[in-house]
Amino acid sequence: MNGIRERGVPAWKWAWLCCICCCAADGSAQWSPWSLAPSIEAYTNFTGQGISCVDFNLDGWDDLTVSNASNELLFYTGGPDGLTEVDLGIVPGTGRPIALMWLDLDNDGDRDFVHTAAMPFSLFFEGGLVSQSQVWMCEDQGFVNRTEEWGLGILEDRAAHGMAWCDMDLDGDLDVMVAIYALECQGLWMTENVLLEQEGGQFVDVSEPSGLAAGIQASFQGAWLDLNGDGLQDIFVINDAGIDANCPTQNQAFINGGDGSFTESAAEMGLDVAMSAMSVTVSDPDGDGAEEVFVTNQSMGEFYYPYPQVTGAYFDLGSTGAYEERSSEVGLDTERWSWGSMWIDQDLDGWEDLMVATSPWSLSASAVEFYDNYFYRHPGAPLNAGAGFEEVTDDWWGKDALWQSIARGDFNGDLRPDVVGAGGGQYATFLLNTAGEDHPSRHRLAVSLCGTHSNTEAIGSRLVLHANGRSQQRTLRAGEDLFAQHSATQFFGLGAMESADSLEVFWPMGGRSCLYDVPGDSAVSIIEGAEEMAVEFTAAGDSVWLHLIVPPQWTSVVWNGDTLDTLSVLVAEGEPTFYEAFWFGGLYHLEGTVEWSLYGGAVGCTNPMADNYQSEAEEDDGSCTYNGLCGPGTFWSVADQQCVAETAPCSPDINANGFVDVADILLLLGVFGQACAP
């Protein structure tokens, strides 16, 4: 019973017709462009829209959810034959759906759907507000709109953009920070960011008492991470500059006080940079154990903004405990208007590369500029050693895609991260990861987590993989990057290593799991606390009750092939006792075989002080002897479990237990022929 599953790479392969017209360069073999049939209309306007690659039907295949400029929500299930559009009965409210999130909000073992909504594009410059963010719960009858019951009605008529999820109070359920896009200088949509704490199956607005309501900002999104290394999750919020250079805005950092309070400390943390921030992505690309922060920026020349005209800002945690902006040092300072970004180890060498989506949008008087999407290849060495990223934009297929939002998922089941992007073009476009063809000797690992004590999604878990003399770190998040929800699977490259030395999981509630000698080219599922789960026994005559100790989120239990409606079964001695417990529709399961008997093991002398002690015996049969233990004038007292002085020489009650019985006869025979003490 280890809570681990391995999935090999399927033997089948499938492909899609290419809908991108481009010329292949030498480095393009790392990716293969492909598209869906039918094509997915995912065109949006201005600020983009959401993409989710999460497996919402729990069949083990990453699915796809997108929104578009027509204020539609589109749902596609994944499988060996590609993506198939489905109608889930989920209808968006008024406004434009932006962030799209599949999460198990109520910890019941299925995934629910939440989306934010902003104003229609026609109202962008008019100051009007018509928007309805929603909660759709997965129930027996399908998906049901529970927006009001869950308290998300508080977001109505707010320009709600990104969502960042975390169990901030460590009570086992998910809370959320919602970024509100307000333009203070123009007096548009004047509301602050919102912090919602989950209590009793609904969200409660704690923005004011927590300290998060710290001024009106044009916020795109937030990200949860431990900024100051105290073990608590803090909130980093990125802010756009708005539409007026005279209305500067800065990014914000809220430090978790551990008592429900947050203190804005961006200046102390070195993160108070004024920029036109579009997206934030967090990981540990330099492998030093501390997470770095990359923020995309908008570059518009002389038109509006006096802020750094760079793709983004790379913040590295320095020796002083504050962050240092090091974009130029690490090669991430190229000039373009950038939107979504994400870290991805595309070539499976064990080092994360960086992908940045650009946009054709321009507010300048000049003609619209079509920028190439960036791709930065990691140098394969610690960035602190002076090595920097290599820009290989011209050598990859995705440079010409019209993207604002990008997300990663595994759409063909080969355990390699693929890419989907949307925003600027009429259709969503996909890049199939072909690193296995270019680097057949490189191996990979796909890891998924299931929380039991923590939230079932295990959001906030930190994974540390040890292989080839170094460590890789990932943190499972929901809501990082620009309106993107990546696959719940974490992808690791192993390079030439056929296995990982170990894989550690640090769970949000404080526990730790560790696997050793993890084989490469496999999918591993880890259940929190699996090593602690067991079976309890309760005797019932000649039978025994077996109580399966599994998390409360179990969805079904199979006992010897039969599905149970209880966690306790009555079995007779010697009956087969194989069981499996399932969560998330079977994506996660525990299994075990229980062997038992009424007596448990061998029968014999169980007293280590006896002459004939039997270490393998589990039940005493009264056969213990102590002839060689006691000296002259003493004998072994069963009652006292020690040698005692004789009180009556040659007494018939040889063992002094108050009775003359068979035990005395046996002892007498043992000393037959010896002289009694005078």
Side-chain angles (χ1 to χ4, degrees), residues 59 69 117 137 163 174 287 302 458 473 526 542 561-562:
D59 65 351
M137 301 299 296
M163 293 182 286
L174 290 171
E302 73 286 352
Q473 179 175 249
I526 305 175
D542 292 336
D562 298 324

Side-chain angles (χ1 to χ4, degrees), residues 1-4 452-453 513 526-534 590:
M1 182 176 60
N2 56 18
I4 303 170
T452 56
H453 310 304
S513 299
I526 305 175
I527 300 175
E528 180 185 16
E531 64 278 0
E532 303 171 358
M533 301 175 191
L590 289 171

Side-chain angles (χ1 to χ4, degrees), residues 250-316:
Q250 297 176 323
N251 298 323
Q252 298 168 295
F254 295 88
I255 302 300
N256 192 340
D259 56 357
S261 67
F262 291 83
T263 303
E264 207 292 302
S265 307
E268 293 85 343
M269 298 303 304
L271 296 170
D272 59 333
V273 177
M275 56 191 304
S276 298
M278 303 286 106
S279 176
V280 55
T281 182
V282 183
S283 194
D284 181 23
D286 61 2
D288 64 354
E291 292 188 308
E292 283 71 49
V293 179
F294 180 79
V295 182
T296 60
N297 191 34
Q298 119 182 355
S299 176
M300 300 184 62
E302 73 286 352
F303 184 60
Y304 276 126
Y305 306 104
Y307 303 134
Q309 303 300 303
V310 297
T311 299
Y314 177 85
F315 296 97
D316 189 10

Side-chain angles (χ1 to χ4, degrees), residues 467-485:
N468 198 26
R470 56 177 295 269
S471 298
Q472 301 181 53
Q473 179 175 249
R474 304 278 194 276
T475 298
L476 182 57
R477 294 185 171 88
E480 84 277 27
D481 306 338
L482 182 68
F483 314 146
Q485 185 181 25

Side-chain angles (χ1 to χ4, degrees), residues 45-187:
N45 41 42
F46 203 63
T47 57
Q49 84 295 312
I51 302 175
S52 170
C53 297
V54 166
D55 175 16
F56 57 72
N57 66 348
L58 304 174
D59 65 351
W61 289 89
D62 281 338
D63 305 315
L64 180 68
T65 307
V66 298
S67 59
N68 60 26
S70 300
N71 300 342
E72 296 177 317
L73 288 170
L74 306 175
F75 304 95
Y76 295 81
T77 58
D81 297 322
L83 298 180
T84 303
E85 187 173 7
V86 294
D87 184 2
L88 302 180
I90 297 176
V91 180
T94 305
R96 180 164 53 89
I98 295 187
L100 318 175
M101 294 288 166
W102 286 98
L103 300 159
D104 185 10
L105 293 181
D106 51 1
N107 285 336
D108 66 349
D110 53 42
R111 285 186 167 128
D112 314 297
F113 181 67
V114 187
H115 75 85
T116 59
M119 77 301 279
F121 182 68
S122 61
L123 299 177
F124 187 86
F125 294 102
E126 300 176 9
L129 269 181
V130 184
S131 64
Q132 294 176 318
S133 302
Q134 294 184 333
V135 174
W136 290 78
M137 301 299 296
C138 181
E139 301 179 5
D140 293 338
Q141 62 270 48
F143 291 97
V144 180
N145 191 335
R146 299 295 187 191
T147 301
E148 293 303 320
E149 293 93 328
W150 274 80
L152 212 67
I154 191 176
L155 298 180
E156 184 171 354
D157 285 350
R158 301 193 189 196
H161 280 50
M163 293 182 286
W165 296 84
C166 178
D167 182 7
M168 65 178 184
D169 51 2
L170 298 179
D171 62 352
D173 55 37
L174 290 171
D175 315 298
V176 61
M177 179 267 171
V178 183
I180 306 298
Y181 194 92
L183 298 179
E184 184 174 8
C185 290
Q186 286 70 37

Side-chain angles (χ1 to χ4, degrees), residues 420-506:
V420 56
Q426 183 176 1
Y427 302 104
T429 53
F430 297 79
L431 293 180
L432 192 68
N433 192 336
T434 60
E437 301 175 9
D438 302 297
H439 304 287
S441 62
R442 292 182 181 178
H443 305 277
R444 71 280 194 199
L445 188 66
V447 183
S448 53
L449 305 178
C450 181
T452 56
H453 310 304
S454 306
N455 63 90
T456 55
E457 299 282 3
I459 301 297
S461 298
R462 182 167 61 93
L463 300 87
V464 182
L465 182 134
H466 305 275
N468 198 26
R470 56 177 295 269
S471 298
Q472 301 181 53
Q473 179 175 249
R474 304 278 194 276
T475 298
L476 182 57
R477 294 185 171 88
E480 84 277 27
D481 306 338
L482 182 68
F483 314 146
Q485 185 181 25
H486 305 297
S487 169
T489 300
Q490 298 294 299
F491 301 96
F492 292 89
L494 298 178
M497 303 299 296
E498 296 182 355
S499 64
D501 298 328
S502 64
L503 174 63
E504 297 178 279
V505 180
F506 298 88

